[in-house]
Amino acid sequence: MMRYGFTTGSCAAAAAKAAAYMLLTGKKKTTITIETPKGISYTAEIMDIDCKENEVSCGVEKDGGDDPDITTGTVIYAKVSYGKLEKKEQDVPQIFIDGGKGVGRVTKPGLDQPVGNVAINHVPREMIEREVLQVCALADYKGSLMVEISVPKGETLAEKTFNPRLGIVGGISILGTSGIVEPMSNQAILDTIRVELNQRKVSGYDYVAVSPGNYGLDFMKQNYGYDLDRSVKCSNFIGDTIDMAVEAGFRKMLLTGHIGKLIKVSGGIMNTHSKEGDCRMELLAAFAIRCGVNDKKVCQLLECVTTEEAVRILEENGKKQEVMDLAMERICYYLNKRAKGQMQIDCIMYANGFGELAKSKEAAKWFSLLAQEQEPQI
């Protein structure tokens, strides 16, 4: 059985609870237990304890379990201090949460937190407040506490995350909806795709450009002079991205991708990860047969390791464009079938060694549409 880990939100809540306990009781705490939203208890070791008269800070090291990410091994710190008590109606403690060094701030709309807020999502905020309030009840404290979450290495780590694209500057986000990291979970990627789509929609657009990854972005920039910085990276989750785009209310989508991924879509495969299915050569061979490619060449296609190699064989046989156009026809069929008529989807497919291979009938109209929003380079 694979071992699950705990989110940055759980680490922040544990550190805040421990710091609050030490501040309000004056007793040292080297371990602390919190309850995650998943219902699983998390007992964290407390490190780097720094106790002062009016504030206490401490840290918890992030453990990603058997599905580690770039934040695994990073120490999440919480500093808890006495705050100024504001006027309140109920006789309960006031907890104010903010971010310090290495925790990003939101600069674009459409995220979990409004523009200007520190990038501590609402579930971690609720966890932090709940755990600190438990300590206040234990110590019979009804005043005000300031909780500052920091990640000293957060700014460097953020460069390896989606945060710069999302408009979160200055550090990482404190995340987690369940409090735990489930091994081999793709939920974080799906959550990021949804966030990027929502950001695009709240910015006033009813159309969106999508690409599985950086190669698609580079292709558009090099071949059409368009910087897809505002596009959405869908990774392997083409079907899920279509579903989320429809749900968000988009009317049109342009999908740009390498043949290695998109050829799978021509067979109705909507998750292009190899573990979900890999019939690239079989599909190309089927299209080649339909286009009159001889048996010997078809057998060569089936033996190819890469789609680039297969395209080269088709080009040598004079059938490249015919096969690619047929493949694009099937790709568009399955893309629009997934959208169930609620969104028009166009597509451009390319290969690194050949450039554009095929595009849908309406794809060319996207270049002028996208160019209208292209910001001038300074």
Side-chain angles (χ1 to χ4, degrees):
M1 182 177 179
M2 299 189 76
R3 184 175 62 90
Y4 53 75
F6 294 91
T7 63
T8 50
S10 289
C11 296
K17 183 176 187 178
Y21 179 89
M22 288 184 278
L23 178 67
L24 297 180
T25 68
K27 300 176 182 178
K28 189 175 181 180
K29 195 74 172 171
T30 57
T31 62
I32 201 83
T33 300
I34 67 166
E35 187 79 6
T36 65
K38 189 79 169 181
I40 296 172
S41 296
Y42 172 37
T43 300
E45 293 186 9
I46 307 303
M47 57 193 300
D48 297 343
I49 298 170
D50 183 12
C51 296
K52 298 178 181 177
E53 184 178 354
N54 293 314
E55 67 178 44
V56 173
S57 68
C58 61
V60 170
E61 183 177 330
K62 162 74 182 297
D63 178 6
D66 288 332
D67 191 28
D69 61 14
I70 63 163
T71 60
T72 294
T74 302
V75 181
I76 312 297
Y77 288 89
K79 180 175 70 176
V80 178
S81 56
Y82 293 112
K84 184 179 179 181
L85 190 63
E86 297 182 359
K87 185 178 179 181
K88 56 181 181 177
E89 296 179 1
Q90 295 180 332
D91 189 25
V92 295
Q94 292 179 330
I95 312 299
F96 298 96
I97 301 170
D98 202 357
K101 179 179 175 60
V103 177
R105 285 199 176 267
V106 178
T107 66
K108 293 182 180 180
L111 296 173
D112 180 274
Q113 294 295 303
V115 172
N117 268 26
V118 67
I120 302 175
N121 280 10
H122 73 282
V123 173
R125 285 176 183 270
E126 292 166 2
M127 293 172 66
I128 292 168
E129 183 175 14
R130 182 178 66 250
E131 299 296 338
V132 171
L133 283 174
Q134 285 183 11
V135 175
C136 291
L138 178 69
D140 195 27
Y141 177 77
K142 295 183 174 61
S144 174
L145 291 178
M146 308 294 294
V147 180
E148 181 184 275
I149 306 300
S150 62
V151 186
K153 297 180 180 179
E155 195 164 358
T156 301
L157 289 172
E159 296 173 1
K160 303 174 184 178
T161 72
F162 284 103
N163 274 16
R165 285 175 55 82
L166 298 178
I168 299 172
V169 300
I172 65 169
S173 301
I174 304 301
L175 303 170
T177 55
S178 67
I180 68 169
V181 179
E182 298 184 58
M184 308 307 290
S185 171
N186 291 310
Q187 193 59 47
I189 299 174
L190 291 169
D191 287 346
T192 301
I193 295 170
R194 186 181 295 277
V195 164
E196 290 198 9
L197 287 169
N198 288 340
Q199 278 192 310
R200 174 86 179 167
K201 196 66 174 64
V202 299
S203 296
Y205 297 100
D206 64 356
Y207 60 90
V208 61
V210 172
S211 179
N214 290 325
Y215 287 134
L217 311 186
D218 293 342
F219 170 78
M220 286 293 286
K221 190 169 186 177
Q222 293 170 8
N223 290 272
Y224 303 108
Y226 183 76
D227 188 348
L228 280 175
D229 184 57
R230 297 182 183 181
S231 73
V232 173
K233 289 184 184 178
C234 65
S235 185
N236 293 299
F237 302 101
I238 293 174
D240 288 304
T241 301
I242 292 171
D243 296 344
M244 289 186 278
V246 167
E247 182 184 336
F250 286 99
R251 294 179 58 201
K252 294 194 295 184
M253 172 189 287
L254 173 66
L255 174 65
T256 303
H258 188 275
I259 183 175
K261 286 191 179 296
L262 294 195
I263 195 63
K264 298 180 184 181
V265 179
S266 71
I269 297 173
M270 289 291 157
N271 184 327
T272 57
H273 195 288
S274 57
K275 70 179 181 180
E276 298 293 333
D278 185 7
C279 54
R280 296 167 299 158
M281 303 313 164
E282 289 83 356
L283 286 164
L284 282 170
F287 296 138
I289 291 170
R290 186 170 174 183
C291 293
V293 175
N294 64 55
D295 293 348
K296 183 178 180 180
K297 291 293 183 181
V298 170
C299 288
Q300 288 180 9
L301 290 175
L302 289 170
E303 294 173 0
C304 288
V305 176
T306 68
T307 50
E308 297 265 348
E309 183 184 357
V311 172
R312 185 165 287 105
I313 290 173
L314 291 170
E315 183 178 51
E316 291 171 355
N317 201 48
K319 292 289 187 177
K320 183 190 76 172
Q321 199 57 55
E322 188 177 356
V323 171
M324 292 301 107
D325 287 343
L326 180 57
M328 179 55 65
E329 180 184 319
R330 300 308 297 167
I331 290 168
C332 290
Y333 168 79
Y334 282 111
L335 291 174
N336 285 283
K337 181 181 179 183
R338 182 67 177 242
K340 298 178 181 178
Q342 299 180 63
M343 179 175 66
Q344 176 193 331
I345 306 179
D346 289 296
C347 185
I348 300 173
M349 181 169 64
Y350 68 91
N352 296 333
F354 298 89
E356 182 185 296
L357 295 175
K359 62 176 178 283
S360 60
K361 293 179 180 179
E362 302 293 319
K365 296 180 180 179
W366 277 83
F367 302 133
S368 58
L369 183 65
L370 295 173
Q372 293 174 10
E373 65 177 87
Q374 180 72 63
E375 296 180 350
Q377 301 298 313
I378 300 176

